[in-house]
Amino acid sequence: MTDYLASEKQLTSRFELPLSHTLKVYLETGGYFSLQKLFSMKPEEVIEMVKKTNLKGRGGASFVTGLKWSFVPKNVDKPVYLCINADEGEPGTFVDRFVMEKDPHLVIEGIICTAYAIGCHTTYIYIRGEYIKQMKILEVAIAEAREAGYLGKNISGSGFNHEIYVHRGAGAYICGEETGLIESLEGKKGQPRIKPPFPAIEGLFGCPTIVNNVKTVAHIPWIIGNGSEAFAKIGTADSTGTNIFGLSGHINQPGYWELPFGLPMLEFIEKYGKGVKGGKLKAVIPGGSSTPVQTVQDCEDLFLTYESMRDHQTFLGTGGVIVMNEHTDMVKALKNLTHFYADESCGQCTPCREGTSWLDRLLTRILNGEAYAKDLDMILGITDNMEGRTICALSAACAMPVRSFITKFRSDFEKYLRPSVFAKQTLDGGGSLRE
Amino acid sequence: MSLKFSDATIKEYNEITVRYPDRRATLLPALWLAQRDFGFISRDAMLAVAELVNIKPVQVEEVAEFYTMYHKKRPGKFHLQICRTLSCWLNGAEEITQLVEQKLGLKEGETTPDEMFSLQMVECLGSCHTAPVMRVNDEYHENLTPSSIGKLIDQIKSGDVKETV
């Protein structure tokens, strides 16, 4: 077996060092080194370089980062903003907080690189309200960086100015959606906007805005330092570079590991997670709760790459893998998720507001033993009406796990069902069969 | 009863306003200041925030109501937030919740009569690898077990755990 951990780490190389969050340790270990090269390049060259790496956004939507940057119009008379999405809230996802906590200067350096490329002078880090510790660490790091001349006016003598502000969220999953995040930053309810216009054209305060995940920008200094080819060589053709994958649920050793893309899912669970806890493997949610669930059979040829996930009609998402053992009641597990989405729907689109609640109530009906087989089909019908009919993807993010749980583990659901209405009415000996 | 921000808080707020080109963007930070100073976001606190940010009270209300971390009623001195979402649930969050409820004699959304404890079930706290997880005010408590949760509550009761907010 290849030792994937032995390959060079881009995001977690300082995680084990004492005081890794301080400027002193950061500078001793090559920190802010990329800036010299960065400022010798033209912004469009940086965009081109990042485009060539095929780096995809690590927040879950997996859009090509360099391409997103290139949408920012040139020579606009408005300021350009960068928002760092640190509103980590997708169930099963928990690694952004460690990047901010253990290597905040890497995030800052990544922000400087990104901001320079898109011509931006103000960045807001939108951090979820619960991450108080990470927020404090970031604020100290920002102050240190400003003191040392890495932020503020004329950074490292380049003539480039930049400021970073941390903006605290207040408990809303939907603010992880980029336009929901922008609305929230503007002091409103985090209700996503209709696109177009996309944020790159008209985002925060009506100005061109790029929203990038924490890990996405944290990759950039490595790319500037080592070049796009070095990055693209890691992983597979479609899934380049490394990612920090998380493991949680029924697992002997839950945690997170930075790995190149391409590891087989079962090997990841066995080798890094030390196997399934409490019984045999039953199901895997590969990249945060919104991604369609996979059976053991599915996992046999499932790899930690975008393309393998696509072949399995699922997604790599945030890279947060949730493992469930053979004793898991899939109906209760799904009910746990529908509750989440019904709770977190922002309420502005009918298919999502109503759909997520209907699904949650139908799951309750099943668990109470009050549902018939036709209710399962009704659930599937509802999910069909929830996708592609709303402003943002939350509705689909609920519909996808629901559909996959029911189609792949239907027998788990059938155990809860009542005998069909048809049979009952025949036994009762009457009644019109309207069903 | 009308509420007033202290001069120190107004100064703190004014320092925040320079970060944004639009004053309304200071609403979430202003609500955080209000919650810190007044304990929770009451109607009066909303009015004070509206005056501070210079927007309509309804604009404050809709935002305060939208976000779950702004308390609309006074929480206990120790506000317990247990994560109920999948990875925590798979690792026994329900059992932990029941133990807390039994030990403190309160249900979700309630506060103990002595106003020491309040309990809220929350969605994913972003600590799935250390499930089950509970926040006590702003502090994460991870890898909870039936015995550790009992011990933790006893420690809080006996004053060994400091209030963190």
Side-chain angles (χ1 to χ4, degrees):
Chain A
M1 245 186 296
T2 332
D3 187 3
Y4 288 92
L5 274 178
S7 69
E8 199 167 351
K9 295 176 190 167
Q10 302 181 12
L11 304 179
T12 58
S13 62
R14 292 182 190 86
F15 274 31
E16 305 300 322
L17 300 176
L19 301 174
S20 63
H21 61 284
T22 59
L23 181 64
K24 185 172 174 286
V25 172
Y26 192 66
L27 289 174
E28 282 167 5
T29 50
Y32 291 111
F33 185 72
S34 75
L35 295 188
Q36 206 183 349
K37 189 166 168 199
L38 175 81
F39 293 130
S40 73
M41 294 168 76
K42 289 194 185 118
E44 49 273 25
E45 288 170 348
V46 180
I47 296 182
E48 210 41 49
M49 187 180 205
V50 173
K51 239 193 216 173
K52 273 192 198 142
T53 62
N54 200 17
L55 167 70
K56 294 185 172 76
R58 302 295 194 233
S62 315
F63 193 79
V64 179
T65 304
L67 190 60
K68 194 188 224 182
W69 293 359
S70 70
F71 295 152
V72 174
K74 303 281 171 286
N75 308 319
V76 278
D77 52 1
K78 293 178 187 173
V80 176
Y81 290 107
L82 173 64
C83 296
I84 300 304
N85 191 340
D87 193 48
E88 187 167 56
E90 173 85 2
T93 310
F94 51 85
V95 297
D96 291 358
R97 74 181 250 225
F98 291 104
V99 178
M100 295 184 283
E101 186 177 320
K102 293 180 185 285
D103 208 348
H105 284 284
L106 181 67
V107 179
I108 295 171
E109 188 174 348
I111 288 171
I112 298 168
C113 298
T114 307
Y116 178 74
I118 62 171
C120 150
H121 303 292
T122 311
T123 292
Y124 297 100
I125 301 178
Y126 187 99
I127 187 166
R128 66 176 293 177
E130 289 88 347
Y131 285 178
I132 297 283
K133 182 179 171 191
Q134 291 72 17
M135 197 171 80
K136 287 178 180 161
I137 290 174
L138 275 172
E139 277 173 345
V140 170
I142 289 168
E144 273 185 322
R146 188 177 293 127
E147 184 76 13
Y150 295 114
L151 285 174
K153 296 237 181 297
N154 191 19
I155 296 169
S156 304
S158 64
F160 180 69
N161 308 329
H162 199 71
E163 290 294 344
I164 302 176
Y165 302 112
V166 180
H167 189 95
R168 185 182 176 193
Y173 170 67
I174 194 59
C175 294
E177 199 276 349
E178 59 179 11
T179 58
L181 183 152
I182 288 171
E183 284 284 303
S184 179
L185 238 167
E186 290 184 357
K188 301 168 195 161
K189 292 184 280 185
Q191 294 187 319
R193 294 176 181 171
I194 294 172
K195 286 145 280 200
F198 285 93
I201 311 295
E202 200 181 312
L204 186 64
F205 308 123
C207 301
T209 304
I210 289 296
V211 183
N212 276 155
N213 171 265
V214 174
K215 291 191 293 304
T216 310
V217 295
H219 273 294
I220 309 298
W222 194 95
I223 291 171
I224 303 283
N226 295 278
S228 49
E229 274 171 35
F231 186 90
K233 259 201 312 225
I234 307 166
T236 68
D238 224 21
S239 311
T240 53
T242 62
N243 190 22
I244 312 178
F245 294 96
L247 250 184
S248 68
H250 291 141
I251 194 83
N252 284 321
Q253 187 185 287
Y256 57 87
W257 298 268
E258 182 179 2
L259 304 166
F261 288 97
L263 196 69
M265 178 63 87
L266 292 176
E267 190 184 324
F268 180 51
I269 292 169
E270 283 307 316
K271 191 175 165 192
Y272 294 96
K274 306 279 181 240
V276 182
K277 187 172 75 178
K280 288 193 202 129
L281 181 66
K282 179 171 187 174
V284 171
I285 297 177
S289 65
S290 309
T291 58
V293 68
Q294 301 292 293
T295 62
V296 178
Q297 208 185 354
D298 293 331
C299 288
E300 273 165 15
D301 58 348
L302 184 66
F303 295 85
L304 294 174
T305 63
Y306 297 113
E307 57 274 23
S308 174
M309 296 286 175
R310 200 161 48 226
D311 291 344
H312 283 77
Q313 276 97 50
T314 189
F315 301 97
L316 191 83
T318 60
V321 179
I322 306 173
V323 173
M324 288 175 267
N325 71 20
E326 58 186 326
H327 307 299
T328 310
D329 183 329
M330 296 306 273
V331 186
K332 287 183 179 163
L334 182 60
K335 163 77 178 120
N336 185 282
L337 291 181
T338 55
H339 182 286
F340 172 82
Y341 290 103
D343 217 27
E344 298 292 350
S345 171
C346 82
Q348 88 180 310
C349 309
T350 311
C352 177
R353 181 186 63 243
E354 302 303 319
T356 52
S357 299
W358 287 356
L359 294 178
D360 193 47
R361 276 178 269 158
L362 280 162
L363 262 297
T364 306
R365 185 190 287 181
I366 295 171
L367 282 170
N368 289 344
E370 294 164 350
Y372 299 101
K374 68 181 173 60
D375 290 322
L376 292 184
D377 297 321
M378 179 156 71
I379 291 176
L380 295 175
I382 292 169
T383 62
D384 287 341
N385 282 319
M386 288 170 69
E387 280 189 79
R389 289 165 159 79
T390 51
I391 292 172
C392 85
L394 190 143
S395 188
C398 177
M400 289 189 299
V402 170
R403 191 183 304 121
S404 62
F405 267 70
I406 293 182
T407 50
K408 295 193 179 202
F409 297 95
R410 193 167 177 119
S411 61
D412 277 50
F413 289 82
E414 284 170 343
K415 280 181 203 147
Y416 281 95
L417 299 180
R418 295 175 80 164
S420 79
V421 176
F422 181 83
K424 179 172 170 281
Q425 289 182 330
T426 308
L427 284 173
D428 289 346
S432 59
L433 300 179
R434 292 245 172 99
E435 292 300 319
Chain B
M1 188 186 71
S2 75
L3 291 170
K4 283 257 176 284
F5 282 106
S6 68
D7 289 347
T9 300
I10 290 171
K11 187 168 172 276
E12 204 178 333
Y13 171 77
N14 287 336
E15 279 162 17
I16 293 171
T17 57
V18 301
R19 300 175 185 176
Y20 309 92
D22 180 356
R23 199 173 171 94
R24 187 166 174 184
T26 63
L27 178 52
L28 265 66
L31 282 164
W32 281 122
L33 293 175
Q35 181 148 305
R36 183 195 67 190
D37 286 8
F38 306 137
F40 69 110
I41 305 295
S42 61
R43 308 291 289 185
D44 288 331
M46 289 183 200
L47 290 173
V49 169
E51 199 188 326
L52 186 70
V53 182
N54 195 21
I55 55 178
K56 296 189 187 86
V58 66
Q59 292 175 313
V60 177
E61 185 186 4
E62 65 169 11
V63 167
E65 294 285 343
F66 186 82
Y67 297 92
T68 55
M69 290 182 78
Y70 296 128
H71 306 307
K72 266 62 80 177
K73 59 177 190 179
R74 191 180 293 282
K77 192 173 170 195
F78 294 93
H79 185 51
L80 313 180
Q81 306 137 70
I82 304 178
C83 175
R84 59 156 296 283
T85 322
L86 194 56
S87 294
C88 282
W89 177 79
L90 289 168
N91 284 293
E94 271 179 343
E95 195 190 341
I96 299 291
T97 310
Q98 281 165 10
L99 283 170
V100 171
E101 288 179 345
Q102 279 165 16
K103 210 162 161 70
L104 297 173
L106 87 173
K107 290 262 174 231
E108 192 206 344
E110 292 178 355
T111 306
T112 50
D114 60 0
E115 296 188 339
M116 270 290 276
F117 292 97
S118 51
L119 177 63
Q120 184 186 8
M121 301 305 293
V122 295
E123 301 294 352
C124 190
L125 287 174
S127 195
C128 311
H129 65 314
T130 56
V133 178
M134 174 175 82
R135 286 175 93 236
V136 178
N137 299 341
D138 281 342
E139 211 67 45
Y140 275 73
H141 295 269
E142 299 162 86
N143 297 310
L144 296 171
T145 62
S147 73
S148 77
I149 184 78
K151 239 165 92 183
L152 177 64
I153 288 175
D154 288 339
Q155 280 173 342
I156 295 174
K157 276 184 166 170
S158 65
D160 286 350
V161 175
K162 292 271 174 289
E163 197 189 351
T164 48
V165 166

